[in-house]
Amino acid sequence: MDSNREESKTIQITEKDVKNSWLLHYIVAEVGISYERLQALGLTVSLLPVLRKLYKTKSDIADAMRRHLVFFNTEAVFGSLINGIVISMEEQKARGEDINTEAITGIKTGLMGPLAGIGDSIDWATFKPIIFALAATLSAKGNPLGAFVLLVLPMIQIIIGRQLSAFGYRIGRDSVTELLSSGRIQQLITAAKTLGLYMMGALSSTYIAVTTPVKFVFGQGNAPFVLQKVLDSIAPGLIPLAIVFFIYWWLNHKNQNLAVVVLLLVAIALVGSFIGVLAPVNS
């Protein structure tokens, strides 16, 4: 193990490695996507060339892969900062620095939400409409350039993503070194976990959209008693919150069989919808 660590200290990750890793992530980020892990599989695949360069034993590579096969979801272009920072932290860890799994996971979880918001606003809500509108205008006039203008968007994305991933690697490398020397790594982990929990709560409320149409009428001529309005007056989103707590309780106290949980939720949704107790938000 000591010889492997000494060998890892001599390994130098280059910015070319970082940029190529992100480019692979750009291509495969949505491949193998699932509600359980979303982009985690694509991220892990893109990091594999770097991880194989940093770690020399199968067990170390397997441990690194497990670190990155947890839930991950962000906007791939501006989220490239995360790719660079994570590679920087993995490099420091491979060299024997005191960086644990929680630190790496916390950084990813804490940054994926804010960077997704920035990327969606700039990349998909600004660049894409402008470029696609220009392409549609040219195509409507019979100009064949309209078909090729669409390629401007991925070109811009690749340029931005490669540069931001390299920038993330540079600031990540310097930041990690400074944090380790100052002893503030635990504060960083706590802050990242807190932000990550906040973002996971926001994601949960977004993905789980359930209401109840149940209402009662007490006495003729009286306004109906709408259960959903009562729940919303207490705290909006109580039903999605209850579902999240139920899933957490089940996985924490019963078992880790996600297939059973999914089938149970589908059954509850079907029965609840059939008897008129549950309904999607947009219904």
Side-chain angles (χ1 to χ4, degrees), residues 40-179:
L41 183 60
L43 176 68
T44 305
V45 169
S46 69
L47 291 175
L48 266 178
V50 173
L51 296 178
R52 289 195 178 108
K53 190 173 182 179
L54 289 173
Y55 302 105
K56 297 305 177 183
T57 66
K58 289 185 177 180
S59 61
D60 286 341
I61 295 174
D63 289 341
M65 291 177 64
R66 277 190 287 268
R67 279 195 291 275
H68 298 292
L69 282 173
V70 297
F71 181 92
F72 181 76
N73 186 43
T74 192
E75 198 275 326
V77 179
F78 284 81
S80 59
L81 275 168
I82 301 176
N83 298 62
I85 292 173
V86 165
I87 290 174
S88 175
M89 297 182 75
E90 288 286 358
E91 183 181 25
Q92 295 291 330
K93 183 176 178 62
R95 291 179 176 179
E97 300 290 354
D98 186 20
I99 299 177
N100 55 33
T101 300
E102 288 76 13
I104 299 175
T105 303
I107 285 291
K108 289 165 53 182
T109 307
L111 291 179
M112 67 183 187
L115 290 176
I118 295 172
D120 289 340
S121 299
I122 298 176
D123 200 12
W124 300 106
T126 303
F127 291 159
K128 184 176 180 180
I130 293 173
I131 294 171
F132 275 48
L134 177 60
T137 301
L138 292 173
S139 299
K141 294 180 179 180
N143 192 329
L145 288 178
F148 298 97
V149 168
L150 296 175
L151 298 175
V152 174
L153 179 61
M155 290 173 60
I156 293 175
Q157 290 175 330
I158 290 173
I159 292 172
I160 293 175
R162 283 172 60 87
Q163 295 304 315
L164 282 181
S165 62
F167 178 70
Y169 172 73
R170 291 194 299 270
I171 65 171
R173 178 183 57 203
D174 298 337
S175 299
V176 169
T177 303
E178 190 272 334
L179 282 168

